[in-house]
């Protein structure tokens, strides 16, 4: 969330595709007030892509995609990888951007 605070423009939206409750609970505390956590279900990808304000989609890489497999595959194919966090050279988080100005 620190990276988002430093790089996301005002009016951006943020969601986690795996464990979305992380953004819903911690987002309002750790994110700038002008970054909007997405509560509940994500909008359709066509809505996000057409949005003037970007959507940042966080992928917590844990080896299990579960019910989010389709959204993750689409995000990796259509989104722009903006940031990656690794520990001991193993990626644990990827942040993709959809919509807004590229």
């Amino acid at each position: 969330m620190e990276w988002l605070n430093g790089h996301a423009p005002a009016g951006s939206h943020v969601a986690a595709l795996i464990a979305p409750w992380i953004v819903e609970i911690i987002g309002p505390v750790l994110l700038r007030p002008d970054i909007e956590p997405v509560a509940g279900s994500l909008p359709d990808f066509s809505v996000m892509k057409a949005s003037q304000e970007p959507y940042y989609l966080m992928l917590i890489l844990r080896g299990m995609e579960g019910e989010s497999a389709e959204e993750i595959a689409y995000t990796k194919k259509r989104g722009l990888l903006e940031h990656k966090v690794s520990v001991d050279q193993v990626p644990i988080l990827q942040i993709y951007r959809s919509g807004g100005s590229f």
Side-chain angles (χ1 to χ4, degrees):
M1 299 217 185
E2 183 177 323
W3 182 88
L4 290 167
N5 282 332
H7 294 86
S12 295
H13 308 277
V14 64
L17 296 180
I18 297 175
W21 52 268
I22 291 173
V23 173
E24 293 175 19
I25 294 171
I26 299 173
V29 176
L30 297 179
L31 290 172
R32 295 187 332 245
D34 62 349
I35 298 175
E36 181 73 30
V38 175
S41 299
L42 285 175
D44 290 337
F45 284 102
S46 60
V47 171
M48 289 189 287
K49 186 173 181 170
S51 174
Q52 293 293 332
E53 294 81 22
Y55 281 79
Y56 288 93
L57 306 174
M58 298 170 44
L59 302 181
I60 300 166
L61 306 173
R62 59 181 187 162
M64 298 181 309
E65 297 175 349
E67 297 176 5
S68 301
E70 185 177 320
E71 290 89 352
I72 291 169
Y74 188 90
T75 298
K76 287 182 174 182
K77 185 176 180 180
R78 304 277 187 213
L80 175 67
L81 179 62
E82 290 275 334
H83 185 65
K84 176 173 56 171
V85 176
S86 297
V87 173
D88 295 331
Q89 300 178 350
V90 176
I92 61 167
L93 174 73
Q94 294 174 335
I95 300 176
Y96 287 82
R97 179 179 174 155
S98 181
S101 301
F102 279 100

